[in-house]
Amino acid sequence: MSQSPQQQSNTRVVLSLLALVVVMGAGAWAAVPFYNWFCKTTGYGGTTNVAEKLPDHVLDREITVRFDANVARDMPWEFKPVKTEMKLKIGQNGLAFYEAYNPTDRVVAGTASYNVSPDVAGYYFDKIQCFCFTEQVLQPGERVQMPVSFFVDPEIVNDADAKRINSLTLSYTFYETELPEQHAATSQADAAGTVN
């Protein structure tokens, strides 16, 4: 059975729209991983790098690193830097601590997001070890100090946009996350024991 010219035109429009929907869906699916890769590669938005070792040399120039802490609206923890700033030489290992406190009567898990400002400095801020790499779980009333080991890459002095930076801010925001299975089971068992 042959289609009329009008039906052929309608079929082409429908197939074109379907192809457009598929392309847009694929683009949306790939956008988040691509954006994360882009930010890590370029330091865009103050995204920091992860390093396995310290640089080979330390410069004689100092930089001030300020520390900022925030919690999301639904996160019940108290969270703050132990020291609000530190001076160190570019390339030197820095070790800072943040304190988290769970004032609730329940186990709470959280994950920290982070960035560095000014944004251009994020590319040169390298973390060796950080509490932000893993989920943190605090028991009711528990207070912990969590370390972050870092350095400012000496290459910062060769960047036309970043070489004049004398201070930067490392900022974390903690978000509540679902409890890991082993903690969720323990928490539910504890809750059931208090009900009886």
Side-chain angles (χ1 to χ4, degrees):
M1 186 164 142
S2 160
Q3 291 184 338
S4 71
Q6 180 65 35
Q7 288 174 325
Q8 288 177 348
S9 177
N10 288 346
T11 301
R12 266 184 286 191
V13 168
V14 168
L15 289 176
S16 296
L17 289 174
L18 229 82
L20 180 65
V21 167
V22 168
V23 168
M24 289 177 70
W29 176 80
V32 172
F34 177 76
Y35 181 76
N36 287 339
W37 168 81
F38 176 78
C39 290
K40 285 181 181 175
T41 302
T42 65
Y44 181 77
T47 304
T48 64
N49 290 313
V50 177
E52 293 182 14
K53 62 180 185 129
L54 291 169
D56 295 333
H57 61 288
V58 175
L59 304 182
D60 198 33
R61 182 174 148 202
E62 283 192 337
I63 192 163
T64 301
V65 180
R66 292 186 178 90
F67 305 102
D68 178 52
N70 305 283
V71 291
R73 187 174 301 160
D74 62 341
M75 172 52 110
W77 290 358
E78 295 172 13
F79 178 56
K80 65 182 182 181
V82 173
K83 271 176 63 175
T84 57
E85 76 175 43
M86 156 188 313
K87 282 187 183 229
L88 68 155
K89 293 183 186 243
I90 294 175
Q92 178 184 355
N93 186 41
L95 183 62
F97 290 88
Y98 281 77
E99 183 176 279
Y101 171 62
N102 178 4
T104 71
D105 60 355
R106 64 185 175 90
V107 179
V108 178
T111 300
S113 66
Y114 51 86
N115 73 328
V116 170
S117 61
D119 290 351
V120 70
Y123 184 75
Y124 299 101
F125 193 91
D126 291 83
K127 294 180 188 174
I128 298 171
Q129 186 176 15
C130 182
F131 59 88
C132 60
F133 294 162
T134 59
E135 182 176 55
Q136 303 297 316
V137 178
L138 270 62
Q139 299 299 315
E142 184 177 10
R143 183 181 308 270
V144 295
Q145 287 193 357
M146 302 174 292
V148 56
S149 175
F150 64 92
F151 64 90
V152 177
D153 190 325
E155 286 299 311
I156 195 170
V157 300
N158 297 324
D159 184 306
D161 295 324
K163 67 182 175 184
R164 290 181 192 84
I165 294 174
N166 294 320
S167 67
L168 54 87
T169 302
L170 173 61
S171 182
Y172 289 98
T173 302
F174 252 108
Y175 297 88
E176 185 171 2
T177 57
E178 287 187 29
L179 286 174
E181 281 186 34
Q182 72 272 20
H183 290 286
T186 303
S187 185
Q188 289 172 350
D190 289 346
T194 59
V195 172
N196 293 334

